[in-house]
Every structure is written in structure tokens, then in C-alpha cells.
Amino acid sequence: MIQLARLGDLVQSLPAIASLTARYPQRSLDLLCPAPFAALARLFPGVGHVLEWNGPQWHAWAEACVGEFQAGCLDVVGRYLAGLTSEPYETAYVLNQHRRALLAGSLLALQVRGPYLHGPLNEELSPWASYLRHVARSRGNNRVHLSDAFCGLCGLTPPPISPRLTPPLPDLPADLGDIGSSNRRWLAVVVGAGDPDRIIPVPVWIEWISALLTRESSYALVLVGSERDQVRSLAIQNGLSPMMAGHLWDATGRTSLPQLAALLKQCQWAVGGDTGPLHLATAVGTRAMGFYFSRARVHETGPYGNGHWVWQADRALPGAWPIQSSVALLLDPATAAHQEPVAGWSLWQSHHDEWGAIFRPAGDRDPQEDQRATVWHQLSEQRLSLQGTQ
Amino acid sequence: MNSFETNVNRLAQCNAALASALSQSRGGTLEIVQARTGIPSARANGRWIHSAYDPIQEAKTWAESQSPQEGETIVVFGVGLLYQVEALCARLPRTAPVFLVVPDLSVLVDAASARAWGDWMDRISWAWGTPEEISLQIAKANQPMRLMAYTPAAALHADSHRAIEAVLQRQIAAQAGGQLNIAIVGPIYGGSLPIARYAVSALESLGHQVRWLDHSVHASSYQQLGLLKNPQHRLALQSKYAEMLSRVTMAQLAEDPPDLVLALAQAPLILPMLEHLRKKKFMTAMWFVENYRHLTYWQQLAAGYDFWFVIQQEPCIAALKRAGAKEVRYLPMAADPSVHRPLELTQLEREEFGADASFVGAGYSNRRAIFPRLLGQDWGFKLWGNEWDGATDLTSVLQRNGARIDTDTCLRVFNGSTVNLNLHSCSGTGFDPDGDFVNPRTFELAACGAFQLTDRRSLLPDVFTPDEIATISSPDELPAEITHWLREPEERRVMTTQARRRVLADHTYAHRMRDLLSQIGVASPDRIGSIMRGARQTGALASAAGASFPSLTSALRTFPSNQRVELKQLAAHVRSRGPMGTLSREDLMVLMLDEYRSETKDLV
């Protein structure tokens, strides 16, 4: 399997991995992913070897070739590829539409299953890739989750239950060692985002955390994020009442991805706008509540599985935030059905069934008919018909 | 047997002629002094050639700072006691050819007497004799050359080394067949703008692919900023504008990365952008066609360019090096014979542009002070050009009310005047006492076959002989000299013919660009030098790819053998096979590298 996109997409590949290993239990499955995610990918169930894709090295080779191309350029590239695998794989399942992933598939395997039907130079899309491109361009009434579409790309159906990964035992810095212990309720706050457009403003977090701790003092909050989120985390802490300091643990920039997975597993909830850590939280069994705005869409990339919540903004940059409502929901999920509508936001809850994940509006009956079964049937028929013509 | 005899006997086994010459030579150039570590060190002319403390460690550090590439011939300048050669040999693979330049046998006698040489000496090819003989010996290696100078020792024979380097550069220029992709970054306006145009045309005439990033299209906007009355606003906004154009340049370069970025003086490239270009492996050069004493912004940019070419020699070169420039070379101005040429004027043109004596140029203070003495003579004088406001005593001879003169008019004046005055500008009232560089007008007048009377410049003898250009050393001589030359039509004809012939033979922009590229080629044998030798042409690439990459080889064979092919073209060739094309592993690797190449966003 080849997944060269971001952290969120890698974690969202878990259902496809689960379906693939269930369908072909006798075959071994290796995973090619960006080198920085390799340690996390090694925790994925069903994955044999994890091959590390060194993007910066490829950039360096390409730069070295510019204006100075010689046959020797291919020597070093060939050695790198041989280091990934000495023998070509039988099949590469490519989950990205980026040409690099397709080329990687063609370089490493005898046959490629993925977005393109006929190799990297022929842009005729497979039915599922065509559907995903349509969704990316027009959204429409799509309710098929990206994780499940990945299964479709591989010619599989979604797994009956959402897959879990088991993080290692927490091996955290001493001051974070208590996370998950005691009688507190632990909640991870994802303070930043890989995409700057998806960052929840610091004042919003200050107000949200204040509202939560004012109403329920048994919560302990772990601020998580990368090194670049440390300044933001500090700003949040500085903006809070000193009385709340004892409720906060700052883990930003201090964890590797496996450590972050372990840390999230110690929490009951993960809250934030960055889909990558939220997907990681759900993968280790932690409930997630997401604030989706900018380009994030609940139906395509909401937290996978059962019982997660997503506040979906109706505009890219929200004017107001559902602070009190989301805190109330967190403290008592049963109130979801009776929540007052929040202007500019809609609330969705995740479910999981035979067609994978589905988000339905809280309280109300879904005004839109669930067409996932139809989509799956149509796309499967198209795929089978194409296979028949090949 | 002492160390001299031991060394010479061993040398005789591989180079009998040198050994014999050495036996008959005398030393005495180097003063041998014991270093603190107990081994011999050396001094010459009161300066240390090797470390007074630890010559071996110093030589090792020098050798480690060099960056030879596989397949290159190493040429070492600087003999000394050869510690540096020994250290270099220890670092290089045994098969790497190493030439040691020996311009003076006396130093080698001292080196041989001071200590016994080791086995490394058997690896050395000793290049000795005249500069031409030495160059010939090195050229026989027929490989790209990497010149390495051990400066403390090389400085003793700097003139010889320069001469050898010049011969090697001429050889590269003569062999040059490869096509370079060159981006010329021109100024927004000013005197270097036409030079940029001439450089573009010259490089194209040499067969290179040239892209002119012409910022003169932004001139009117920039000049609008000059109208702002508040000087702080004006300077701040002009600076911002130049910075913005610097970013525009970066974006343009990123779209199609060239082999060489050649900037002309006043090009809007700021130091942070130049540093970023270097980080991204762009090779940059600046032809600073300005008087370094008057325009001093080079101080801020010196470290930014890989190569500086200047129209002055010392102390200009030393000043730039002190400011951080790594490579500074002398490259005088020139003419473009397709522009600067003899013209037949019509009777009407002759009446308008003709004169006994004339001058074209701006009203600098020395010209304002000198020209009034040309009034009221037996012969006529016409003054052309702008910035003569306030020079009321010259109003009677100032043409077109002091309007700016375009190139076309300028050529007509040159061709219509019996004596063209060529006085270099200066802020005083006479000739520039530090006058060194030769201005473009000197070459342009000569190329036009027009007679000129020029103020004496210290660098003029490097480019013209007294038989080609007439000079004066004092403003007071001017009226008499004009009178003299007006009476000597035949002598004028002979001089102008010789001057034009000299320009065509030595001083066109094509000559300058060839020199510039060959100098960069010698200093960068693995990049520019390699392209110039044609090593990046399809024929050479296909031979190198050979049997190891059959698919690549056959793809390369589809291009003309002398065509320059890069990753981009190869990838386009692979893609051109169409959607159902069969791809080999090599094709896929080419496409993958090209995917990463096409991402240039981090440059801008």
C-alpha cells in the first residue's frame, strides 16, 4: 500500500488496510509512507514492513539534476529504490491521486491498483477515483467517508468495525507521566493544525477551556501539537486564569507520533480542528470532537467510527464559535438532541455500519437520504464492467 | 646522499628532463626555517609560505577545504615545500591525475633540498617551462580541470599563474561547443541597460540559450517614485520597489532555472535573494560596468555573487575581495559591431550631425570646466547630450537644447564628426587623476571607424595601442590637439582603420562573453565547464549512459547529438509517448525526478 499524503490520510488508511488483510489473509502487506510517519505506521495492525519515502532526498536529487543531468543521476535513485525492495511487489495499492504516488507504485510493483486505470501517463480514472474527484470539486450530497473510499479504490468494502491501533506503553517525559491516571477526566486539546487555515484562534481556545473548567473542574487538559504549536500553547496558558494552571499539561512539541498516540489513548476525549490528531485519537479508541471549517468537511474526513462529534461551520472562517454548546455536549452527550441551534454551525454525530462511517445530524432526522449503498453498487458495477473489458 | 640528490634521482625515473634541469638550477628563493614541530617550514620575501607552527596540519586543512570531483584533473598552483601537494595526494583516489605547476625551478630546488619527498611524488605530473608549455602539458590530460591554489606559495608567481590560467581559459573557449542556458538580469534603467542588450545578443551569437529578464519595463513606475517630494518616502518606496523586482526575478528564474544568472550593474537583486539563489545551487555572476569608486553598492552585494567581473583592476579587485567577493576578474568594456558600425550619412544628416569636433555625453563637472576652452576656435564644436542645465557658456554649441541622445543619433554624430572627443566623466575640473577604466564610448567610436581623442587612462594600453587611439594627458592640450588632428586626415584614416580592426579582433561583446564564460568554466569545471565542453549534450550523455541504462540511451539517441538535454526535456520526451506508452524503470525514475523538479515554490 502506498500512502504518501499527510498524517490524517495515513491514519484514514487503516480501514483499507483492515479490509485488505481480511480479504487476503495469506498475503503480506507492506506500507510505503513518508519517512516522518514511519514510526507510527509500524504500529498499524496487519502491516508487515514499513518502507520510508524520503521526500527531501528526492527533492535534493531532483535539484542536483537540474542543469546537470547525467546517467549517474539514475544510479543513485536506482540504488535507493533497490534499498526499499530488492524484488518488485506483486501489487501496489495506491491511495493518492498525486502522480508521485502513482509513479512510486509503478516503480515498486508489477501491477498498480489505484486512481489511474492504465498507468501513470494515462489519466483515465478508476470509478472510485472519478467519484472522489467529483466530490472534491462539487461536494454535492456525498456521504461516503474518505477512509471508505480508500477501500473502494482497492476494490474492497469497508471493514465491519472501525479498526484500532495499539500504541506502545506510554514512554513520556516525567511531567507527562501522570496523564490518564487519577480520577480526573482527561481531555486532549489539539491547539494547532498542519494547515494554517484550520487553526482555531487562541482567544477561542481560552474561552472554550475557561468555559469547560468553570463548569466542570474534574477535567484535566493536555495541550497537544507539534513544535510549531508551542508558542500558541503558551499563549493559551497565559490567557487563562492562574487558578486553572493545575488543570493543564503542555505536551506540544514534546512527543513523537507513537508517543502522541499513547498519550491520546490516555484521554477520554480529543478536541480540536486538526483532523490528523483527531483521526489518531479515534484510532486508539478515544472519542473525538472536531470543529470543522476552512476546507474540512465532516462527511469526507470526520473522525472515523462510532460516537464522535463534529461541529461543521457553514463558512470557511467562522464569525462565532459554538463554545458553550460544545462544552455542554462534552459534559453531557445526552443533551445533543436538545441542543439549541448555533448560528453558522451544524452538529453531526458519527455512526458506523456495513458501508463504513456516516455522520448524521444530532437530534434531527437526516434530511438527506443515505445513498451510500447506491454509490457503492454503482461504482462496484462500473469497476466490474471495466475489469470485464480489460 | 642528501635529500636533494635523493629527490632528484627519484624524479629522474619519471621526468628525466626536469630532474636534469633541476640539477643545473640554483635555489635561494625560499628561506628554510624550522617550524615549532621540528620540521622545515619556509619564508619568502619576509612572509611565511607554510605554518611556522605545524606545516603538515596546515596543509591537511588546506587539502580538506578543496572540493575535487571524480574525473577531474587537479592542477595545483603554488610549490613551497610541497606539504600541500602531499596532503592533497593523501586525500585523493590514487587514480586522480595531479599536475603541479612549476613556473620557477629555483623554488623546486629549495623544496627538494629541504626534505625528502615520499611516494606521493610518483603520482605528480610536473608541469614546468613557459606558461604556454605548462598549459600544453596540462591540456594533454584532456579532462576537466580543477584549479587549486595554495595561495601563500602561489602568490610568489602570480603573474605566471595568471598567464597559465589565461591560456587554459582560451583553450576552454576554443573547445566550447556546449550550449548554456543563461539568464541575464538587466537594470531598471541607466547606462548598463544597453550593455545588457549587447550581452544578450553576444551570448546568443555564441550559440547559448539566453533569457533576458528585462526590468526596463518597470522604469516608468520606478521613476514615478522619484517624483515623491518627501525623501524618506521616496527612498523607502524605491527600496521596496527594488526588493519587489528582486522577488519577480526570483520567480522568473524559478520557472526555468538557468545554468548561469548573469546580472548587469544596477540589476535589482538584493543580498538575501542572492544568498537564497546560492542555497538553491544557482550560479550567479555580476558584470559591474561601473566605476567602483563612484557607485559603492557593491560593498553590500560583494558576498552575494559567485563571480564578479569588473572594468577596473587593482585596487578595485582587492576592495571587492575584502568586501567578501570570492572570485573577481577584470573584464573591460567592448562594442557591438552590429550596432556600432561605420555609417554613410546623407547630405542632410551630415549638416545636422557633422562637425569638426563634437562630444556626446552628460554634463559632468569636469566637462563643464573643460569645454568652454573649445569655443571661438577656427573650427566648429558641437555638444550633444543632456544634464547641461546651467552651463550657459556652452548654450551656443549645445544641440537639441540638451535633449537626451538615443543610440541611433549617437552613431550619426560619431560617424559625422571629424574629431570625436571622449572625455571620461569626473567630479573635478580636469581629467580624473585616478582614471583607470576605459569607457564603452572608446570601443564604440573605434568600432564605428570614427576618430577619437581620449583622455589618458591607465588601462587604455591594455586594450588599444597609441597607433589606434589618440590620447591627451591634460585639458590644456585639447584645442591644440584638435587643431593638429583636423590637419591630418590620412593619419586619422590609418588610426581609425586600425582601431576598428582591433575592436573586431579583440573587443566585441562576443569576446567579452566568451572570456567571461571560459573564466567561469575554468573555475567551475564540473558545472559550467562541463556544459561548455559539451558533456551535457545528448551524444556525450548517451555514451555515458551506455549499457547500464539502455532505455535512457535509446531515448537520448532520438535527440540531435549536439543538443543539450536536461531532465525536463527527457521527461517531456517520455510523456510524449502518450497515454498508452510503455514505460521502463528508467523512464519512471526520470518522471519521478521531474515531478520533484517541477516543485519550485520553495524558491519563491
Side-chain angles (χ1 to χ4, degrees):
Chain A
M1 180 169 289
I2 293 177
Q3 176 53 274
L4 296 183
R6 293 180 176 192
L7 172 66
D9 285 6
L10 180 67
V11 182
Q12 287 183 98
S13 306
L14 276 167
I17 292 169
S19 292
L20 206 52
T21 49
R23 173 79 166 272
Y24 304 109
Q26 75 287 5
R27 291 162 67 180
S28 62
L29 176 72
D30 291 351
L31 175 64
L32 176 74
C33 70
F37 304 150
L40 178 70
R42 291 196 176 95
L43 304 177
F44 285 14
V47 171
H49 292 105
V50 173
L51 314 181
E52 300 184 17
W53 189 252
N54 192 339
Q57 180 61 73
W58 277 99
H59 271 295
W61 285 327
E63 271 183 28
C65 281
V66 172
E68 299 184 41
F69 181 77
Q70 338 180 17
C73 295
L74 299 190
D75 255 336
V76 62
V77 169
R79 281 198 297 274
Y80 168 77
L81 291 169
L84 289 179
T85 177
S86 52
E87 291 293 322
Y89 285 87
E90 183 186 319
T91 306
Y93 293 92
V94 178
L95 301 187
N96 314 118
Q97 294 211 18
H98 198 288
R99 204 183 298 272
R100 267 179 218 167
L102 297 158
L103 288 166
S106 301
L107 278 164
L108 298 175
L110 298 173
Q111 66 162 333
V112 177
R113 298 195 68 163
Y116 286 10
L117 285 171
H118 305 292
L121 291 185
N122 188 327
E123 296 189 3
E124 190 182 343
L125 294 173
S126 71
W128 270 104
S130 188
Y131 179 77
L132 281 172
R133 185 166 288 184
H134 168 72
V135 169
R137 285 178 180 165
S138 62
R139 304 285 187 200
N141 297 324
N142 173 57
R143 291 289 165 88
V144 178
H145 195 276
L146 182 62
S147 284
D148 300 321
F150 283 159
C151 297
L153 271 178
C154 299
L156 306 161
T157 52
I161 53 167
S162 53
R164 291 268 191 275
L165 64 84
T166 310
L169 288 171
D171 171 24
L172 297 165
D175 60 314
L176 302 180
D178 289 343
I179 292 171
S181 63
S182 77
N183 294 326
R184 289 170 181 251
R185 284 189 272 185
W186 292 86
L187 182 146
V189 176
V190 184
V191 299
D195 179 351
D197 290 346
R198 294 193 195 178
I199 293 175
I200 295 173
V202 167
V204 173
W205 275 129
I206 292 170
E207 196 180 338
W208 193 89
I209 294 170
S210 300
L212 174 67
L213 294 178
T214 304
R215 290 181 61 174
E216 179 52 69
S217 61
S218 66
Y219 268 96
L221 276 59
V222 188
L223 307 180
V224 299
S226 65
E227 202 172 326
R228 63 173 176 266
D229 298 321
Q230 285 180 316
V231 173
R232 190 168 295 109
S233 170
L234 211 58
I236 292 169
Q237 293 171 69
N238 289 339
L240 291 166
S241 159
M243 302 296 288
M244 295 175 178
H247 294 264
L248 297 175
W249 275 255
D250 187 356
T252 52
R254 302 173 63 200
T255 55
S256 64
L257 284 174
Q259 283 176 321
L260 178 61
L263 190 151
L264 289 168
K265 190 172 171 56
Q266 302 302 311
C267 299
Q268 283 82 53
W269 281 94
V271 182
D274 192 5
T275 49
L278 292 183
H279 288 306
L280 190 55
T282 61
V284 295
T286 299
R287 294 183 75 184
M289 182 159 69
F291 296 101
Y292 276 37
F293 54 104
S294 183
R295 287 178 296 279
R297 298 282 298 172
V298 56
H299 299 299
E300 282 107 51
T301 57
Y304 197 85
N306 258 320
H308 308 297
W309 297 94
V310 169
W311 295 87
Q312 175 73 58
D314 61 8
R315 64 188 66 180
L317 194 61
W321 295 77
I323 292 174
Q324 295 300 336
S325 303
S326 58
V327 167
L329 176 68
L330 192 83
L331 295 177
D332 186 4
T335 62
H338 318 295
Q339 285 262 352
E340 285 293 315
V342 180
W345 294 86
S346 53
L347 177 60
W348 301 82
Q349 185 175 23
S350 70
H351 303 272
H352 190 271
D353 60 21
E354 62 178 314
W355 301 115
I358 177 82
F359 279 82
R360 299 205 171 91
D364 297 330
R365 192 174 165 277
D366 196 344
Q368 189 182 310
E369 189 187 345
D370 183 357
Q371 296 180 331
R372 287 178 301 148
T374 313
V375 171
W376 276 95
H377 287 310
Q378 282 177 353
L379 295 176
S380 299
E381 278 169 22
Q382 284 177 29
R383 187 173 60 81
L384 290 171
S385 127
L386 278 168
Q387 281 175 345
T389 60
Q390 285 172 0
Chain B
M1 216 168 12
N2 60 28
S3 66
F4 179 81
E5 289 163 348
T6 310
N7 290 331
V8 169
N9 285 346
R10 187 160 181 176
L11 183 63
Q13 292 167 26
C14 59
N15 195 328
L18 175 60
S20 160
L22 217 51
S23 301
Q24 292 162 32
S25 299
R26 297 176 66 175
T29 302
L30 302 181
E31 175 196 352
I32 308 301
V33 186
Q34 195 176 58
R36 291 268 297 277
T37 50
I39 62 170
S41 185
R43 289 162 60 95
N45 305 328
R47 293 190 170 190
W48 287 98
I49 302 296
H50 295 288
S51 164
Y53 181 76
D54 188 349
I56 291 178
Q57 183 55 43
E58 179 198 49
K60 200 173 155 199
T61 306
W62 174 84
E64 280 166 1
S65 71
Q66 306 300 317
S67 47
Q69 305 286 317
E70 199 180 329
E72 288 177 347
T73 292
I74 310 301
V75 181
V76 181
F77 290 107
V79 177
L81 299 187
L82 298 175
Y83 288 116
Q84 73 283 4
V85 180
E86 184 175 357
L88 192 64
C89 287
R91 197 175 157 236
L92 292 171
R94 284 205 64 80
T95 50
V98 180
F99 276 87
L100 175 67
V101 173
V102 186
D104 172 12
L105 291 181
S106 158
V107 178
L108 198 58
V109 170
D110 291 333
S113 310
R115 67 189 188 106
W117 298 335
D119 292 346
W120 53 268
M121 71 172 283
D122 299 333
R123 294 178 55 186
I124 304 299
S125 300
W126 309 81
W128 60 291
T130 64
E132 284 71 21
E133 287 166 343
I134 290 173
S135 310
L136 207 63
Q137 293 164 54
I138 296 168
K140 276 183 189 160
N142 202 22
Q143 270 188 315
M145 285 168 285
R146 170 79 57 180
L147 308 190
M148 297 180 180
Y150 178 67
T151 313
L156 292 177
H157 302 99
D159 289 343
S160 297
H161 293 157
R162 261 197 297 277
I164 293 162
E165 207 172 325
V167 176
L168 294 175
Q169 281 159 10
R170 281 202 295 276
Q171 286 168 352
I172 284 213
Q175 292 166 358
Q179 184 189 50
L180 289 161
N181 295 325
I182 300 169
I184 298 252
V185 187
I188 304 170
Y189 67 95
S192 55
L193 180 58
I195 314 293
R197 193 175 297 124
Y198 303 144
V200 169
S201 155
L203 287 166
E204 283 174 345
S205 76
L206 295 174
H208 301 294
Q209 190 77 37
V210 187
R211 196 155 49 109
W212 182 12
L213 310 186
D214 180 9
H215 291 299
S216 67
V217 295
H218 307 292
S220 58
S221 304
Y222 187 81
Q223 277 152 4
Q224 282 296 313
L225 298 177
L227 301 177
L228 289 170
K229 292 190 179 69
N230 182 323
Q232 282 176 323
H233 286 169
R234 186 173 64 241
L235 290 173
L237 288 169
Q238 282 179 329
S239 164
K240 286 272 175 210
Y241 197 80
E243 188 182 321
M244 190 273 285
L245 290 184
S246 199
R247 287 185 184 280
V248 170
T249 306
M250 296 281 282
Q252 290 170 320
L253 293 173
E255 282 179 1
D256 190 9
D259 303 310
L260 174 69
V261 180
L262 175 58
L264 268 294
Q266 307 273 18
L269 273 171
I270 58 176
L271 184 62
M273 297 294 168
L274 290 167
E275 286 170 341
H276 194 56
L277 284 174
R278 177 172 295 148
K279 212 164 70 186
K280 291 287 164 188
K281 282 184 60 186
F282 281 71
M283 188 165 281
T284 57
M286 155 63 82
W287 192 12
F288 190 69
V289 289
E290 305 275 12
N291 183 344
Y292 90 105
R293 295 185 184 92
H294 291 171
L295 288 177
T296 55
Y297 63 88
W298 52 267
Q299 291 169 345
Q300 284 82 50
L301 297 176
Y305 287 98
D306 297 318
F307 295 90
W308 281 84
F309 292 90
V310 292
I311 58 173
Q312 289 154 292
Q313 292 188 348
E314 296 301 352
C316 168
I317 291 174
L320 265 152
K321 286 189 172 171
R322 273 198 305 276
K326 288 171 289 299
E327 296 271 0
V328 190
R329 315 291 174 106
Y330 171 59
L331 191 71
M333 299 303 308
D336 181 342
S338 69
V339 176
H340 309 113
R341 62 195 192 281
L343 292 178
E344 275 300 323
L345 302 188
T346 64
Q347 183 57 35
L348 271 177
E349 286 174 328
R350 209 171 288 282
E351 283 167 17
E352 183 180 0
F353 303 114
D356 292 323
S358 54
F359 175 81
V360 184
Y364 282 90
S365 67
N366 64 328
R367 294 166 181 168
R368 286 169 182 251
I370 293 167
F371 288 153
R373 66 191 82 182
L374 306 185
L375 304 176
Q377 302 285 344
D378 294 342
W379 32 263
F381 171 57
K382 284 184 181 175
L383 179 59
W384 303 80
N386 56 344
E387 296 179 24
W388 290 98
D389 299 344
T392 49
D393 46 352
L394 294 169
T395 308
S396 62
V397 290
L398 184 62
Q399 308 297 301
R400 295 185 177 179
N401 291 319
R404 189 177 178 84
I405 300 300
D406 61 24
T407 303
D408 196 50
T409 305
C410 195
L411 292 173
R412 279 166 171 70
V413 174
F414 288 172
N415 277 279
S417 302
T418 310
V419 174
N420 286 278
L421 303 181
N422 179 12
L423 302 191
H424 290 71
S425 62
C426 161
S427 56
T429 56
F431 291 169
D432 185 353
D434 298 319
D436 48 7
F437 69 91
V438 179
N439 65 12
R441 192 186 291 110
T442 312
F443 299 95
E444 291 163 4
L445 281 161
C448 287
F451 182 80
Q452 61 181 302
L453 196 49
T454 302
D455 53 331
R456 196 158 289 158
R457 311 287 291 181
S458 63
L459 294 175
L460 188 64
D462 284 356
V463 284
F464 289 107
T465 65
D467 294 339
E468 293 160 345
I469 304 279
T471 58
I472 49 171
S473 51
S474 153
D476 295 334
E477 297 171 10
L478 198 50
E481 281 292 313
I482 293 171
T483 303
H484 164 76
W485 286 108
L486 285 172
R487 289 178 186 152
E488 299 290 345
E490 181 53 23
E491 209 173 330
R492 286 199 319 264
R493 192 192 61 74
V494 171
M495 286 184 84
T496 54
T497 304
Q498 290 179 163
R500 177 168 158 75
R501 194 178 296 146
R502 180 70 189 275
V503 169
L504 297 181
D506 295 328
H507 301 317
T508 67
Y509 283 99
H511 288 104
R512 297 297 180 259
M513 291 300 102
R514 193 179 289 136
D515 284 353
L516 179 145
L517 293 179
S518 60
Q519 293 192 46
I520 295 176
V522 167
S524 163
D526 51 329
R527 291 181 65 186
I528 302 293
S530 158
I531 298 165
M532 289 176 73
R533 287 190 308 275
R536 304 288 157 75
Q537 290 175 347
T538 46
L541 284 176
S543 302
S548 309
F549 299 100
S551 171
L552 177 66
T553 308
S554 79
L556 287 166
R557 299 273 185 223
T558 62
F559 293 90
S561 70
N562 61 350
Q563 184 178 324
R564 171 94 182 272
V565 172
E566 289 298 340
L567 179 62
K568 193 174 165 183
Q569 286 85 31
L570 263 178
H573 175 77
V574 173
R575 288 191 195 98
S576 72
R577 288 181 211 157
M580 303 310 281
T582 309
L583 299 176
S584 68
R585 185 173 174 78
E586 292 147 51
D587 295 332
L588 290 165
M589 289 194 280
V590 165
L591 290 176
M592 182 71 92
L593 286 169
D594 195 54
E595 280 297 316
Y596 280 91
R597 178 206 59 78
S598 64
E599 287 187 3
T600 52
K601 64 184 177 190
D602 59 338
L603 182 67
V604 287

